[in-house]
Amino acid sequence: VSAEVVGEVAPAIGAADLEPRWVRVRWEDGRVSRYHHLWLRDNCPQLRHPATGHRTVDTAQIPADCRPTAVEVVGGDDLRVTWASDGHVSTYPASWLAANDYSNGVRNARPVPVLWDAADIDVIPRASYPRLTADDAVRRRFLTGFVRYGLGLLSDVPCMPGTVLEVAARFGEVRTTSWGKVFDVRSVVDANSIAYTNLPLATHTDEGYRDPAPTVQLQHVLRADARGGDSTLVDGFRLAADLRHEHPEAFRLLATTVVRFRFVDAATELECDAPVIDCFPDGELRAIRFSNHSATPFLLDFDEMEPYYAAYRLFGDMRESPRYRLRIAMEPGELYMVDNRRVLHGRTGFSAGGARHLQSCYIERDELVSRLAVLARAEVEDI
Amino acid sequence: VSAEVVGEVAPAIGAADLEPRWVRVRWEDGRVSRYHHLWLRDNCPQLRHPATGHRTVDTAQIPADCRPTAVEVVGGDDLRVTWASDGHVSTYPASWLAANDYSNGVRNARPVPVLWDAADIDVIPRASYPRLTADDAVRRRFLTGFVRYGLGLLSDVPCMPGTVLEVAARFGEVRTTSWGKVFDVRSVVDANSIAYTNLPLATHTDEGYRDPAPTVQLQHVLRADARGGDSTLVDGFRLAADLRHEHPEAFRLLATTVVRFRFVDAATELECDAPVIDCFPDGELRAIRFSNHSATPFLLDFDEMEPYYAAYRLFGDMRESPRYRLRIAMEPGELYMVDNRRVLHGRTGFSAGGARHLQSCYIERDELVSRLAVLARAEVEDI
């Protein structure tokens, strides 16, 4: 029933006592856990949808005076609670109680990102695309790495236009935007973006002016005849973590100041307000949005302008420094995938003469993570 | 160049003085504005992409000692700045300086949502779908209302399966998820969601376990023969605003406690961590995520559990109370659109006998807002 994977075998329950506001569980190994009455009723395993584990009661409708008349241990493995209001009986497995033992510090763990810089080029997840399509274990390893590093590189991708959509479909559903499902990156006359020139493109997250911004970008190299045009990639979470440690006030400014990103052309007008560093309320990193070209003029308190610029430029310097910035000369048939809420990408300038052609598309991260989780179930079954 | 629409005619510039860290502008009406050197250089209109207004310089690369050698007023309308480092000349129109006068409090304004409750049923934006497709002014009014209220109702939508996708395409690009492009809501045996039963469905935001959650949902009624099954709709921003005012500590708990939402079935495993009330760092409301069925057991500090439940249940009670909750008996051919980061939706229970069939899909809000902005340009031209 619980969403949590129980990592170890839970000890048996020795005894359970009914207290005025909670149930006290004494485990056979001597530890004590406490579970509030309301929490127990709200999470009754017998009031969950059998297929999805979804709660079938409205938490707000549970009577405020909801309390047990009796608690007992059944077979050493289950806690059985009988409820005063309606006589309902709830049975909680010991393993589930242990996995959700908030009174002893059990919390929802988020996957911990592995931070990287330019020295870590060899640990970036890589796979051959034909092998990945043929072998679930290869796909699983690649996606596990992608979730950890926010980046993955594929090789041997067929150099046919449109293939990036096929690759994307292996990991999620393509997000169509006003640019279409797939968009071509090459030099064009009267470009509506620096991306479509041969100028260098400083590292950035894509589509900062969209709300929500796309969460995963795929970029497939079809031709790379021009001199230059190396791909550049930076771990924005690494930048933020180092900034937080070395320049906490700069971090604070970037995490608390909301700026505006904007794109306007004849057919489009996109806008998003967000901080450069987006944190969860508990302070953990949630997203990076660094799109210098699309940031509108900062409109801040006069006395905050210079400190904010100092912080913003420091982050901007870090992202382009050789210490943090990976530089990869991608060949035709190679493709990278980035977590667009974490990893910044760009390119060096290239000669105007040679042809350079990339195709890009977006998917959303939730589908990718879901597919990985389902693949990982098969792995557990394999063992 | 500026993203801002200049609402009034700016006064002429009387004089400009070069100060050590900023330029002082004295307007002919006597007001004084100040613009930092770095801000001016960073926002030089001549260093912007002509088509998109995007910045063509990397802000981090502007030399720290960048300062003007001379400032002058040209024709009373423009500020001309000559730069010491490279002799570059920047020209700033007076109207642009006035529109970005941060030293006098100009800030990026976000559209202010108009909060509503059940008494406001008559102000909810409504349109006849055939009229909306035929008349840009109708579409413009409807979308303006949607952005303001987070809700819109369409009538006279053809009762053909798949039509919801056509309607969606008028406002944005459909977001495909693992449920497909369109999904059918009707009673089914072995439902994997309460949505697919005839039980009442308390108001919620959709897909709380997706990250990002879809931002706009469309729901089209194809059949409604069953007794009951009224649509319920609540303005989550109104709930949050009232909670903040009447129960600030409850608001604080919902805005700072991260909870986990989850969906698992045989083919899918989706998860998102977020607070119920998501605020910008400056405190403005950003999103509501209230999906009681998919919330996993709260895992909080023992002493925070009861206060959090009290806050959560208070919000949950408010959302279902007749004061806040609209109730609409939707007929076949009607369709509602909700801002899924703001408006909660649900339904009352219905008789198992009669048929009830809805089709739903998602689009993203940024495209909708973009299309409205482009429509609104035409309006400006019409005048």
Side-chain angles (χ1 to χ4, degrees):
Chain A
V1 165
S2 164
E4 301 302 313
V5 174
V6 182
E8 357 176 346
V9 176
I13 300 176
D17 304 307
L18 181 57
E19 307 266 349
R21 282 157 54 208
W22 52 79
V23 173
R24 177 185 304 267
V25 168
R26 281 177 293 169
W27 302 92
E28 289 209 330
D29 66 5
R31 281 181 313 123
V32 170
S33 302
R34 292 172 297 162
Y35 304 91
H36 289 95
H37 296 164
L38 183 56
W39 186 92
L40 284 168
R41 179 66 191 231
D42 189 33
N43 295 304
C44 168
Q46 288 75 48
L47 298 174
R48 293 272 171 162
H49 190 286
T52 63
H54 275 178
R55 187 179 279 107
T56 56
V57 286
D58 188 356
T59 301
Q61 301 304 312
I62 300 172
D65 60 355
C66 170
R67 49 178 36 91
T69 46
V71 297
E72 55 187 319
V73 183
V74 186
D77 275 342
D78 291 338
L79 172 71
R80 184 186 290 167
V81 176
T82 307
W83 296 93
S85 47
D86 58 358
H88 177 73
V89 176
S90 302
T91 305
Y92 307 86
S95 59
W96 183 89
L97 289 169
N100 290 281
D101 183 7
Y102 61 93
S103 70
N104 285 309
V106 171
R107 296 292 177 270
N108 287 318
R110 291 178 206 136
V112 178
V114 180
L115 305 181
W116 50 267
D117 63 23
D120 298 315
I121 190 158
D122 293 333
V123 304
I124 300 306
R126 290 169 197 262
S128 161
Y129 181 61
R131 290 202 53 219
L132 177 139
T133 58
D135 186 344
D136 279 355
V138 174
R139 185 148 80 251
R140 210 155 56 202
R141 272 198 304 276
F142 180 75
L143 289 179
T144 301
F146 177 80
V147 168
R148 204 169 280 165
Y149 294 95
L151 175 62
L153 303 175
L154 292 174
S155 54
D156 311 318
V157 181
C159 277
M160 297 277 293
T163 305
V164 70
L165 294 174
E166 282 175 40
V167 178
R170 304 226 159 241
F171 304 124
E173 303 290 345
V174 173
R175 172 161 168 193
T176 309
T177 69
S178 42
W179 325 133
K181 277 172 93 75
V182 61
F183 50 99
D184 292 87
V185 182
R186 51 184 154 196
S187 305
V188 295
V189 178
D190 290 335
N192 75 345
S193 164
I194 299 164
Y196 307 141
T197 68
N198 64 334
L199 296 172
L201 201 54
T203 47
H204 60 280
T205 58
D206 247 40
E207 307 280 297
Y209 35 78
R210 283 193 191 271
D211 183 20
T215 47
V216 176
Q217 177 171 20
L218 291 87
Q219 195 156 88
H220 179 206
V221 181
L222 291 168
R223 283 190 75 177
D225 300 343
R227 270 176 296 111
D230 291 354
S231 294
T232 53
L233 296 155
V234 186
D235 183 1
F237 278 9
R238 173 64 187 261
L239 301 181
D242 284 6
L243 192 72
R244 179 180 249 167
H245 183 249
E246 293 160 20
H247 303 278
E249 177 59 14
F251 179 92
R252 192 192 65 77
L253 284 167
L254 293 178
T256 57
T257 307
V258 175
V259 292
R260 174 164 292 180
F261 303 91
R262 196 169 156 84
F263 177 92
V264 184
D265 71 4
T268 322
E269 202 164 317
L270 296 159
E271 194 171 274
C272 179
D273 286 355
V276 167
I277 299 175
D278 213 332
C279 293
F280 284 103
D282 57 21
E284 250 183 66
L285 294 172
R286 198 173 189 182
I288 303 294
R289 206 180 212 103
F290 197 92
S291 170
N292 186 65
H293 50 286
S294 72
T296 65
F298 303 146
L299 298 175
L300 312 176
D301 288 351
F302 189 78
D303 293 336
E304 280 176 19
M305 190 62 82
E306 288 178 319
Y308 185 76
Y309 260 115
Y312 182 87
R313 280 154 53 86
L314 179 55
F315 192 91
D317 268 340
M318 289 168 75
R319 89 193 198 285
E320 289 287 293
S321 87
R323 174 171 169 204
Y324 291 109
R325 200 187 69 172
L326 279 189
R327 184 170 166 160
I328 306 178
M330 302 225 348
E331 300 289 332
E334 294 187 315
L335 179 152
Y336 71 66
M337 263 168 69
V338 289
D339 180 337
N340 189 50
R341 288 191 300 200
R342 170 177 172 187
V343 171
L344 292 70
H345 67 279
R347 61 143 196 264
T348 61
F350 58 94
S351 59
R356 188 171 181 279
H357 183 198
L358 284 68
Q359 284 194 323
S360 276
C361 71
Y362 302 117
I363 59 174
E364 300 300 5
R365 196 175 178 282
D366 54 355
E367 294 275 346
L368 181 150
V369 173
S370 171
R371 295 191 191 188
L372 171 58
V374 172
L375 271 174
R377 282 184 209 162
E379 183 176 34
V380 171
E381 284 160 16
D382 286 353
I383 294 170
Chain B
V1 163
S2 164
E4 301 302 312
V5 173
V6 182
E8 358 178 342
V9 176
I13 300 175
D17 304 306
L18 181 55
E19 308 268 350
R21 282 157 53 208
W22 53 77
V23 173
R24 178 185 303 269
V25 167
R26 281 178 293 169
W27 302 91
E28 289 209 329
D29 65 6
R31 280 181 314 122
V32 170
S33 301
R34 293 172 297 164
Y35 304 91
H36 289 96
H37 296 163
L38 183 56
W39 186 91
L40 284 168
R41 179 65 190 231
D42 188 35
N43 295 304
C44 169
Q46 288 75 49
L47 298 174
R48 293 273 171 162
H49 191 286
T52 63
H54 275 179
R55 187 179 279 107
T56 56
V57 287
D58 188 356
T59 301
Q61 301 303 312
I62 301 171
D65 60 354
C66 169
R67 48 178 38 91
T69 48
V71 298
E72 56 187 318
V73 183
V74 187
D77 274 343
D78 290 340
L79 172 71
R80 184 186 291 168
V81 176
T82 308
W83 296 93
S85 47
D86 58 358
H88 176 74
V89 175
S90 302
T91 305
Y92 307 86
S95 59
W96 183 90
L97 288 169
N100 290 279
D101 184 6
Y102 62 92
S103 69
N104 286 309
V106 170
R107 296 292 178 270
N108 287 318
R110 293 182 204 131
V112 178
V114 180
L115 306 181
W116 50 266
D117 63 24
D120 299 314
I121 191 158
D122 293 333
V123 303
I124 301 305
R126 290 169 197 261
S128 160
Y129 181 62
R131 290 201 54 221
L132 177 139
T133 59
D135 185 343
D136 279 355
V138 173
R139 185 148 80 249
R140 208 154 58 204
R141 271 199 304 276
F142 179 75
L143 289 178
T144 302
F146 177 80
V147 168
R148 203 168 280 164
Y149 294 94
L151 175 62
L153 303 174
L154 292 175
S155 53
D156 311 318
V157 181
C159 278
M160 295 277 293
T163 305
V164 70
L165 294 175
E166 281 175 41
V167 178
R170 305 228 157 239
F171 304 125
E173 303 289 346
V174 173
R175 173 161 169 193
T176 309
T177 69
S178 43
W179 324 134
K181 279 173 92 73
V182 61
F183 50 99
D184 292 87
V185 182
R186 51 184 155 195
S187 304
V188 294
V189 178
D190 290 334
N192 75 344
S193 163
I194 300 165
Y196 306 142
T197 67
N198 65 332
L199 296 172
L201 200 53
T203 49
H204 60 280
T205 58
D206 247 39
E207 306 280 298
Y209 36 77
R210 284 193 189 271
D211 183 20
T215 47
V216 176
Q217 176 170 20
L218 291 86
Q219 193 156 91
H220 179 206
V221 180
L222 291 167
R223 282 189 77 177
D225 299 342
R227 268 175 297 112
D230 291 354
S231 294
T232 53
L233 295 155
V234 186
D235 183 1
F237 279 9
R238 172 64 186 263
L239 300 182
D242 283 5
L243 192 71
R244 179 180 249 166
H245 183 249
E246 293 160 21
H247 303 277
E249 177 60 13
F251 180 92
R252 191 192 65 76
L253 284 167
L254 293 178
T256 57
T257 306
V258 175
V259 292
R260 174 164 291 179
F261 303 92
R262 194 168 158 84
F263 177 93
V264 184
D265 71 3
T268 322
E269 202 164 319
L270 296 159
E271 194 171 275
C272 179
D273 286 356
V276 166
I277 300 175
D278 213 332
C279 292
F280 284 102
D282 56 21
E284 250 184 64
L285 294 172
R286 199 174 188 182
I288 303 295
R289 206 179 211 102
F290 197 92
S291 170
N292 186 65
H293 50 287
S294 72
T296 65
F298 303 145
L299 298 174
L300 311 177
D301 288 350
F302 190 78
D303 292 336
E304 280 176 19
M305 191 63 82
E306 288 178 319
Y308 186 75
Y309 260 114
Y312 182 88
R313 280 155 52 86
L314 180 55
F315 192 91
D317 267 340
M318 289 168 74
R319 90 193 199 286
E320 289 287 295
S321 86
R323 175 172 168 203
Y324 291 109
R325 199 186 70 171
L326 279 188
R327 184 172 168 160
I328 305 177
M330 301 223 351
E331 300 288 330
E334 294 186 315
L335 178 153
Y336 70 67
M337 263 167 69
V338 288
D339 180 337
N340 190 50
R341 288 191 301 198
R342 170 177 171 187
V343 171
L344 292 71
H345 68 279
R347 63 147 194 261
T348 61
F350 58 94
S351 59
R356 189 171 179 277
H357 183 199
L358 284 68
Q359 284 194 323
S360 275
C361 71
Y362 301 116
I363 60 175
E364 300 300 4
R365 196 175 178 282
D366 55 356
E367 294 276 347
L368 180 150
V369 174
S370 172
R371 295 191 190 188
L372 171 59
V374 172
L375 272 174
R377 285 184 206 160
E379 183 177 34
V380 171
E381 285 160 15
D382 286 352
I383 294 169

